[in-house]
Amino acid sequence: MDNNQTEISTLGEFGLIDRLTKDFPLKNDSSKVGVGDDAAVLSYGDKDVLVTTDLLLEGIHFDLRYVPLKHLGYKAAVVNFSDIYAMNGTPRQITVSLGVSSRFTVEHIDALYSGIRLACEIYGVDLVGGDTSASVTGLVISITCIGDVEKDKAVFRSGAQPTDLICVSGDLGAAYMGLQLLERENKVAAESGNKDFQPDFAGKEYIIERQLKPEARRDIIQMLAKEGIRPTAMMDVSDGLSSELLHICKDSGVGCRVYEDRIPIDYQTAVMAEELNMNLVMTAMNGGEDYELLFTVPLVDKEKIEKLNGVSMIGYVTKPELGAAMVSRDGGEIPIRAQGWNAFTSETES
Amino acid sequence: MDNNQTEISTLGEFGLIDRLTKDFPLKNDSSKVGVGDDAAVLSYGDKDVLVTTDLLLEGIHFDLRYVPLKHLGYKAAVVNFSDIYAMNGTPRQITVSLGVSSRFTVEHIDALYSGIRLACEIYGVDLVGGDTSASVTGLVISITCIGDVEKDKAVFRSGAQPTDLICVSGDLGAAYMGLQLLERENKVAAESGNKDFQPDFAGKEYIIERQLKPEARRDIIQMLAKEGIRPTAMMDVSDGLSSELLHICKDSGVGCRVYEDRIPIDYQTAVMAEELNMNLVMTAMNGGEDYELLFTVPLVDKEKIEKLNGVSMIGYVTKPELGAAMVSRDGGEIPIRAQGWNAFTSETES
């Protein structure tokens, strides 16, 4: 590489996106909000239109040695639905583009699509377009999801206010622990040299399912609407809680405190972390791929939130000068750093 | 490959898409038209919303040995705009997803985006989202374009009626001839072993530009609107005139006759075909990547069409039982077959 060239890893994924998109001022009246949230917001009439897109590449985002194609199709669709729910919207349509190398057969692609179809059925979403082509290497899946939301009711990352409560749905870290288990069993299988090797997932079905077949939290969005709770900021947990908290703090111009002992963690996640000798809280903070909803609500909604099943209050929003920190069990403050998965670096950022 | 598995090439691109998308009935009121045209049509208010998407893979859709990254970015955006114009709409927003291998630097991606930005500026389109990630091999570009059209004014492939006139904008075959020239010069350069080899494009600038920097025919859409001409069917010429004529015939349930001596061909295209000893009319019929507009209009619009610059009447729509054929210079009829580029077969279909 010559001296005038810059390696992409020096910028990281978010740095690269910032650099690439900063010189694109919005020109059309229908473009309300562009790059920088879970989805763009467009104005085309009675409702606002939401658009989000994801690119999944074999060897980077999935490994077909332990991800069945049907599960991959399901997950590829659901993670896009999750981005639309994270804007307080409803997913309506998807387009699916595939690049397929010659080692894939029609039956393989049928399996992938059966997963996409199942996700579309469950979430009430229509497949409306796409593009299919050969690929010289591996499988490429690009999905764009379009949704709608009542006019001006989209919830962004930028609306959190000091004293707001920080809430998260479900539990965290399970998808990441599921991945660790899948990778371990795959390694054991390879080393055993036994073609009929059966991985041992007994008692760990939940973390496997969280990795292979995540769900988007439509139920949480519906419950919040029913209870008349409108989050001030919201996003889904795809890169990890630490990374998402920092996004909300940066975009809202605030700080935050989250309590170590409030982070919701499933029993199976804890057992697996113990087995693998990994720090459980770090796993829950940085694991990613949970697709839970992280959101902030005004303090006045505290009683309503306490009554909700499957929602944990994990902390509160502060003034920006206090920064973002986790309050440990002993009362100490540990600064939150982005340790989310970064596809452009082989090592975790520090 | 075991006996129960089917190679994708046995279905071809369109066969595979048909198979994959047939079991997706539309469920949402906002999904007006799904898979099968240049773009999907969604209903979200005063206007109809159009969505189209394209996936471009290195080694399949482009070769960076002779396509500069800025040109690639420009073309990747413009071909999506072309799909929206081909629905009689106006492109408004795009999302851009990139997969980038480690051999690309920040400066490379800047160059790619500078082309995307130029296209967005010229066509008045906003970049509103995307996804950027590492790739284990080569460059992947997935672009989704959203546009709008007056309610119920979208033009589909399915509206052609017997006696309609068949029209095409600009000229055909130049982009394909440009590609042949680029490939030839690249081969000569490689064989010369001379690092400073300069390709000889003198007098062939037009066909090079048609390949590297195609334009979407916004001007034609605006001209038709101004003259009060509403096409009965329309699509853009991406795979080749033969392939697109067959799409319109199939979707409209009609046949067609086009006249060999009416196919618009540029002088440089003809010279290049001569040099390479290729059949000129076959090149124009099957070349692809011209991004001209192919459309049909009622016979009563004949005089209006004759007055338009840059639009050729090449034939007429017939009853379905007459099939699709080209009328040769000697008056004979040659059946039209799809010989467009098919990414799933190494040889041309026959």
Side-chain angles (χ1 to χ4, degrees):
Chain A
M1 201 169 289
D2 74 43
N3 289 337
N4 298 320
Q5 299 280 304
T6 315
E7 283 189 47
I8 289 173
S9 57
T10 61
L11 291 182
E13 181 182 357
F14 299 122
L16 181 63
I17 291 173
D18 284 349
R19 178 185 174 113
L20 295 176
T21 58
K22 70 181 160 42
D23 291 332
F24 282 85
L26 298 179
K27 298 174 285 280
N28 287 293
D29 291 341
S30 54
S31 304
K32 287 176 79 165
V33 179
V35 176
D37 217 297
D38 295 288
V41 183
L42 314 180
S43 173
Y44 279 113
D46 333 327
K47 291 199 168 190
D48 284 340
V49 176
L50 305 169
V51 181
T52 184
T53 191
D54 255 320
L55 179 66
L56 300 178
L57 303 172
E58 185 175 355
I60 300 286
H61 302 98
F62 56 88
D63 186 329
L64 292 174
R65 283 173 303 175
Y66 44 82
V67 180
L69 281 160
K70 182 175 179 178
H71 285 80
L72 179 62
Y74 189 86
K75 182 169 174 174
V78 163
V79 301
N80 277 282
F81 304 164
S82 179
D83 277 324
I84 299 290
Y85 290 122
M87 298 294 292
N88 198 33
T90 305
R92 300 293 185 188
Q93 289 92 17
I94 54 168
T95 63
V96 177
S97 292
L98 295 182
V100 185
S101 74
S102 58
R103 75 176 211 271
F104 293 92
T105 64
V106 172
E107 288 73 17
H108 288 135
I109 306 305
D110 281 347
L112 182 74
Y113 259 72
S114 71
I116 295 172
R117 188 181 306 115
L118 181 62
C120 283
E121 283 166 10
I122 290 175
Y123 289 91
V125 172
D126 293 323
L127 177 79
V128 296
D131 191 14
T132 304
S133 109
S135 148
V136 281
T137 49
L139 183 61
V140 176
I141 308 171
S142 176
I143 295 190
T144 297
C145 185
I146 295 143
D148 61 17
V149 58
E150 295 300 317
K151 202 162 248 329
D152 303 320
K153 291 290 162 66
V155 175
F156 300 94
R157 300 175 179 180
S158 55
Q161 298 286 338
T163 79
D164 281 356
L165 296 168
I166 300 172
C167 308
V168 69
S169 64
D171 59 78
L172 300 175
Y176 183 72
M177 279 293 110
L179 181 62
Q180 302 307 312
L181 177 58
L182 285 166
E183 284 180 350
R184 186 184 72 177
E185 293 297 305
N186 184 61
K187 204 167 157 225
V188 172
E191 285 167 0
S192 78
N194 175 0
K195 250 188 57 175
D196 299 320
F197 176 86
Q198 285 294 317
D200 179 16
F201 296 147
K204 305 207 169 69
E205 295 80 2
Y206 177 70
I207 61 173
I208 294 292
E209 178 150 330
R210 290 284 282 178
Q211 171 57 227
L212 291 183
K213 192 167 175 289
E215 299 294 344
R217 298 309 305 262
R218 168 172 60 175
D219 57 333
I220 298 289
I221 295 300
Q222 291 171 342
M223 193 164 65
L224 292 173
K226 195 178 152 208
E227 299 297 328
I229 302 167
R230 186 170 172 216
T232 49
M234 184 157 56
M235 62 186 300
D236 69 341
V237 182
S238 52
D239 290 335
L241 182 63
S242 294
S243 172
E244 320 307 13
L245 282 169
L246 291 177
H247 277 301
I248 286 183
C249 286
K250 183 183 169 209
D251 290 2
S252 296
V254 297
C256 73
R257 290 295 175 275
V258 298
Y259 294 93
E260 181 181 357
D261 58 2
R262 298 266 189 106
I263 310 292
I265 297 172
D266 185 78
Y267 175 75
Q268 285 189 18
T269 307
V271 169
M272 194 70 222
E274 178 81 21
E275 261 187 63
L276 297 175
N277 201 22
M278 293 175 79
N279 181 309
L280 179 58
V281 174
M282 284 300 112
T283 292
M285 289 291 284
N286 301 315
E289 293 203 282
D290 295 308
Y291 300 104
E292 296 295 343
L293 290 172
L294 171 67
F295 56 97
T296 57
V297 298
L299 194 52
V300 295
D301 285 331
K302 185 161 187 271
E303 284 184 24
K304 286 185 188 169
I305 291 283
E306 281 170 340
K307 281 186 237 157
L308 299 181
N309 275 325
V311 172
S312 304
M313 283 184 286
I314 60 171
Y316 59 93
V317 178
T318 68
K319 290 180 185 169
E321 50 270 31
L322 295 178
M326 183 174 76
V327 181
S328 63
R329 281 174 220 277
D330 62 12
E333 291 196 349
I334 303 160
I336 294 175
R337 294 209 180 88
Q339 303 191 314
W341 173 87
N342 185 330
F344 286 110
T345 53
S346 50
E347 292 173 35
T348 305
E349 292 172 49
S350 63
Chain B
M1 200 170 290
D2 75 42
N3 289 337
N4 298 321
Q5 299 279 307
T6 315
E7 283 189 47
I8 289 173
S9 57
T10 61
L11 291 182
E13 181 182 357
F14 299 122
L16 181 64
I17 291 173
D18 283 349
R19 178 185 174 113
L20 295 175
T21 57
K22 70 181 160 40
D23 291 332
F24 283 86
L26 298 180
K27 297 175 286 280
N28 287 294
D29 291 341
S30 53
S31 304
K32 288 176 79 165
V33 179
V35 176
D37 218 297
D38 295 287
V41 183
L42 314 180
S43 173
Y44 278 112
D46 333 328
K47 292 199 169 191
D48 284 340
V49 177
L50 306 169
V51 181
T52 184
T53 191
D54 255 320
L55 179 66
L56 301 178
L57 303 171
E58 185 176 355
I60 300 285
H61 302 98
F62 56 88
D63 186 329
L64 292 174
R65 283 173 303 176
Y66 44 82
V67 179
L69 281 160
K70 182 174 178 179
H71 284 80
L72 179 61
Y74 188 87
K75 182 169 175 174
V78 163
V79 301
N80 277 283
F81 304 163
S82 179
D83 277 324
I84 299 291
Y85 290 122
M87 299 295 291
N88 198 32
T90 304
R92 300 294 186 186
Q93 289 92 17
I94 54 169
T95 64
V96 177
S97 292
L98 295 183
V100 185
S101 74
S102 58
R103 74 175 211 273
F104 292 92
T105 64
V106 172
E107 287 73 17
H108 288 136
I109 307 305
D110 281 347
L112 182 74
Y113 259 72
S114 71
I116 295 172
R117 187 180 307 117
L118 181 62
C120 284
E121 282 167 7
I122 290 175
Y123 289 91
V125 172
D126 294 323
L127 177 80
V128 296
D131 191 14
T132 303
S133 109
S135 150
V136 281
T137 49
L139 182 62
V140 176
I141 307 171
S142 176
I143 295 190
T144 297
C145 183
I146 295 142
D148 61 17
V149 57
E150 294 300 318
K151 202 162 250 327
D152 303 319
K153 290 291 162 67
V155 174
F156 300 95
R157 300 175 180 181
S158 55
Q161 299 284 338
T163 79
D164 282 356
L165 296 168
I166 300 172
C167 308
V168 69
S169 64
D171 59 80
L172 299 174
Y176 183 72
M177 280 293 110
L179 181 61
Q180 302 308 310
L181 176 58
L182 284 166
E183 285 180 348
R184 185 185 74 178
E185 293 297 304
N186 184 61
K187 204 167 158 230
V188 172
E191 285 168 1
S192 78
N194 175 0
K195 251 187 57 170
D196 299 320
F197 176 86
Q198 285 294 316
D200 179 16
F201 296 148
K204 305 204 170 71
E205 295 80 3
Y206 177 70
I207 61 173
I208 294 292
E209 178 150 331
R210 291 284 282 177
Q211 172 57 227
L212 291 183
K213 191 165 176 289
E215 299 294 345
R217 299 308 305 262
R218 168 172 60 175
D219 57 333
I220 298 290
I221 295 300
Q222 290 171 341
M223 192 163 66
L224 292 174
K226 194 177 154 208
E227 299 298 327
I229 301 167
R230 184 166 173 221
T232 49
M234 183 157 56
M235 62 186 300
D236 69 341
V237 182
S238 51
D239 290 335
L241 182 64
S242 294
S243 173
E244 319 307 12
L245 282 168
L246 291 176
H247 277 301
I248 287 183
C249 286
K250 183 183 169 209
D251 291 1
S252 296
V254 296
C256 73
R257 289 294 174 276
V258 297
Y259 294 93
E260 181 181 357
D261 58 4
R262 297 265 189 107
I263 309 293
I265 297 171
D266 184 79
Y267 175 75
Q268 286 188 16
T269 308
V271 169
M272 194 70 222
E274 178 81 23
E275 260 187 63
L276 296 174
N277 201 22
M278 294 175 79
N279 181 309
L280 178 59
V281 174
M282 284 301 112
T283 292
M285 289 292 283
N286 301 314
E289 293 204 282
D290 295 308
Y291 301 104
E292 295 296 343
L293 291 172
L294 171 67
F295 57 96
T296 56
V297 298
L299 195 50
V300 295
D301 285 331
K302 185 162 188 274
E303 284 184 25
K304 285 185 189 170
I305 291 283
E306 281 170 340
K307 280 185 236 155
L308 299 182
N309 274 326
V311 173
S312 304
M313 284 185 285
I314 60 170
Y316 60 94
V317 178
T318 68
K319 290 179 184 169
E321 50 269 31
L322 295 178
M326 183 174 76
V327 181
S328 63
R329 281 174 220 277
D330 63 10
E333 291 197 350
I334 303 161
I336 294 174
R337 295 207 180 88
Q339 302 190 313
W341 173 87
N342 186 328
F344 286 111
T345 53
S346 50
E347 293 173 34
T348 304
E349 291 171 50
S350 63

